[in-house]
Amino acid sequence: MASSVWPRLAYSAALYALSPLIGWRIWREQVPTHSRLQRLGLRLEPLPPAPRIWLHCASVGEVRAARPLIEALLARYPAHSLLLTTMTATGAEQSQALISEQTPSDQARLTHRFLPLDFPGAARRFVRSVQPELAILFETELWPNLIHACRQQGVPVAVVNGRLSPRAFKRYQRLRPLMASLLAEISWLAAKSSADAKRFNALGCSTEITRIVGSLKFELASQEKAIEDSERLLHSWGERPVWVAGSTRDGEEALLLEAHRQVLARYPDALLVLVPRHPQRFDEAAKLCKTEGWALSRRSQQQPVRAQTQVYLGDTLGELAMLYAAGSVAFVGGSLVPLGGHNVLEPAALGRPVLSGPSIENFADVAEPLQAVGALTLVDSPDTLADALAGYFANPEHAQQAGRAGCAAIETQKGALARTLTGLEALLPR
């Protein structure tokens, strides 16, 4: 037992040493409605009455993916309240949007807070204050001191939609003693795939508590509202070829604009809807477009799309699904640069053919079923991206067929939510 303590103590010492840098970064990740002292496990506003379930997601993408689970937990445990925590400000805003879309009774039971930094004292204060009956960590949100504080308070800890990319696995292998001690305090781990399960087991997670349940990302919420809202956009834009590049990252917009330049040579009225992943880069993307001489309209400034508009910047939060639905083809970013990609299921669920760069290792498990049916195509340069877009614009029937195939593939992959809820019920009976 003593040997398992030292890795966590060494980790905590390193965290304290890095605290100025961490504090500066977290200082920026803030929303006006939340005190920064929440990062230290302090100033936690009153929560709905116990009993309580705590679910932690890192940021926007994880909150979106967790939505079916959140709504299922609210329905399955009507006597419980649910606390949702995130690390980022955009995650907080996505959480507030999710809460606002619930029924009034569920809004009263669902709250959001920032997760404290993983210092031992902050972790203990947070767990004592929240007093959850069950802690649920989404994907790879593995915080040693928070998990240890839960175990000290007798709170079972579950990891759901557990994933470890090959790149993350290599990093964690260097910290195997810490990971082994951390994973020994997990009560149940629901892995997305057999490959993820094997990686967790190789780091020290017991095979007895590991289950392969599939990806919760296939359990997408209804897209009807996004489609309805997109139809109003399309009506104002008129008949023109539209493609949407979502969740784009630094260094990627320039490549996408080059592809759009080639598309315009073949389809002069084509429109690119550009949606950067992070709000702090909205102005940067706008500046790039203006510097290169593009006819730009910004959604945040309510600038209309006119006949001469070439690029429409989707610089708002919570509207990516609607913007994806407004296009006839979608490109998912973080993939033409070596960052591992983003969620290709979001546009596929809207019936859109999907394009992605080659760097998609973070979403390989959800990408494979789409690739198998021709709903997802990988491109490796502006030239190949432009060719793929032109191919879909030239053959709308082919684009619709690929979109339908993607929707069908998603339906065949569902079931992870039911299996996850069954596993959680062993830790928190209804």
Side-chain angles (χ1 to χ4, degrees):
M1 179 65 72
S3 61
S4 66
V5 173
W6 287 107
R8 186 167 48 80
L9 292 178
Y11 158 81
S12 298
L15 205 61
Y16 282 122
L18 293 170
S19 59
L21 178 62
I22 296 169
W24 173 80
R25 182 181 177 89
I26 291 298
W27 188 262
R28 300 183 306 163
E29 293 287 346
Q30 195 57 36
V31 293
T33 54
H34 292 60
S35 168
R36 286 189 171 89
L37 292 177
Q38 286 186 10
R39 301 296 193 174
L40 298 176
L42 301 169
R43 291 280 180 91
L44 293 173
E45 291 87 353
L47 295 169
R52 187 172 298 116
I53 300 169
W54 164 40
L55 170 64
H56 175 62
C57 298
S59 190
V60 174
E62 292 76 16
V63 173
R64 287 178 185 153
R67 178 171 184 158
L69 176 61
I70 291 167
E71 294 176 343
L73 289 170
L74 289 170
R76 182 168 283 219
Y77 297 95
H80 286 69
S81 62
L82 180 61
L83 172 64
L84 175 60
T85 58
T86 61
M87 286 298 292
T88 67
T90 52
E93 290 163 345
Q94 184 70 37
S95 299
Q96 292 303 135
L98 187 155
I99 292 170
S100 70
E101 293 170 7
Q102 305 305 307
T103 64
S105 60
D106 283 346
Q107 285 182 23
R109 297 166 51 216
L110 177 59
T111 51
H112 170 268
R113 299 286 182 270
F114 278 118
L115 188 74
L117 298 173
D118 200 33
F119 299 119
R124 287 193 297 270
R125 284 191 294 272
F126 175 80
V127 175
R128 281 200 301 263
S129 175
V130 173
Q131 295 183 326
E133 289 196 356
L134 173 64
I136 306 172
L137 308 178
F138 205 80
E139 294 195 347
T140 50
E141 286 298 289
L142 304 174
W143 298 100
N145 285 319
L146 277 161
I147 292 171
H148 183 67
C150 285
R151 295 298 285 180
Q152 283 186 315
Q153 296 291 322
V155 179
V157 179
V159 176
V160 302
N161 216 49
R163 72 177 180 94
L164 272 180
S165 68
R167 185 184 303 174
F169 176 63
K170 288 180 180 178
R171 290 199 306 267
Y172 285 137
Q173 277 185 311
R174 304 189 194 106
L175 304 171
R176 195 182 185 287
L178 174 64
M179 296 304 298
S181 64
L182 177 161
L183 293 168
E185 297 188 306
I186 297 293
S187 305
W188 185 63
L189 190 144
K192 290 202 309 179
S193 68
S194 58
D196 290 299
K198 288 176 182 177
R199 293 181 193 119
F200 278 111
N201 296 153
L203 291 175
C205 187
S206 169
T207 56
E208 295 180 2
I209 66 164
T210 306
R211 296 292 180 270
I212 302 165
V213 303
S215 176
L216 284 170
K217 287 184 172 156
F218 287 105
E219 312 286 338
L220 294 162
S222 171
Q223 304 292 320
E224 289 182 10
K225 186 177 186 303
I227 293 172
E228 289 175 6
D229 292 343
S230 73
E231 288 172 353
R232 286 191 285 272
L233 269 183
L234 285 171
H235 179 72
S236 67
W237 294 351
E239 294 289 333
R240 58 192 300 184
V242 179
W243 66 289
V244 182
S247 296
T248 63
R249 303 292 292 271
D250 187 20
E252 203 164 36
E253 286 89 3
L255 301 174
L256 297 170
L257 290 170
E258 173 55 33
H260 191 48
R261 197 180 306 278
Q262 296 183 36
V263 169
L264 287 173
R266 292 178 249 187
Y267 294 89
D269 61 339
L271 176 68
L272 164 60
V273 180
L274 186 63
V275 190
R277 175 76 172 180
H278 299 118
Q280 57 265 35
R281 296 194 58 253
F282 288 162
D283 289 341
E284 177 186 332
K287 183 179 179 181
L288 174 65
C289 291
K290 290 177 179 177
T291 300
E292 294 192 0
W294 293 94
L296 174 73
S297 294
R298 298 186 66 168
R299 182 160 180 79
S300 65
Q301 298 177 13
Q302 299 181 332
Q303 296 171 344
V305 171
R306 305 187 188 279
Q308 65 269 29
T309 303
Q310 299 168 313
V311 180
Y312 187 51
L313 186 63
D315 51 350
T316 55
L317 292 174
E319 294 190 317
L320 181 58
M322 177 194 68
L323 294 172
Y324 272 143
S328 54
V329 187
F331 172 86
V332 180
S335 57
L336 276 176
V337 288
L339 293 173
H342 290 299
N343 192 354
V344 292
L345 294 177
E346 291 178 339
L350 293 159
R352 302 297 182 264
V354 184
L355 302 172
S356 170
S359 178
I360 200 168
E361 55 270 22
N362 289 348
F363 292 85
D365 57 331
V366 298
E368 287 170 6
L370 298 180
Q371 284 182 276
V373 299
L376 169 65
T377 302
L378 301 188
V379 295
D380 59 7
S381 68
D383 295 350
T384 54
L385 174 56
D387 288 342
L389 289 165
Y392 279 126
F393 290 156
N395 193 344
E397 187 176 324
H398 176 52
Q400 293 168 7
Q401 181 181 4
R404 289 192 296 269
C407 288
I410 290 172
E411 286 297 318
T412 64
Q413 295 291 324
K414 289 185 175 180
L417 178 60
R419 290 187 285 271
T420 298
L421 290 170
T422 298
L424 293 176
E425 196 167 310
L427 304 178
L428 184 65
R430 281 193 286 182

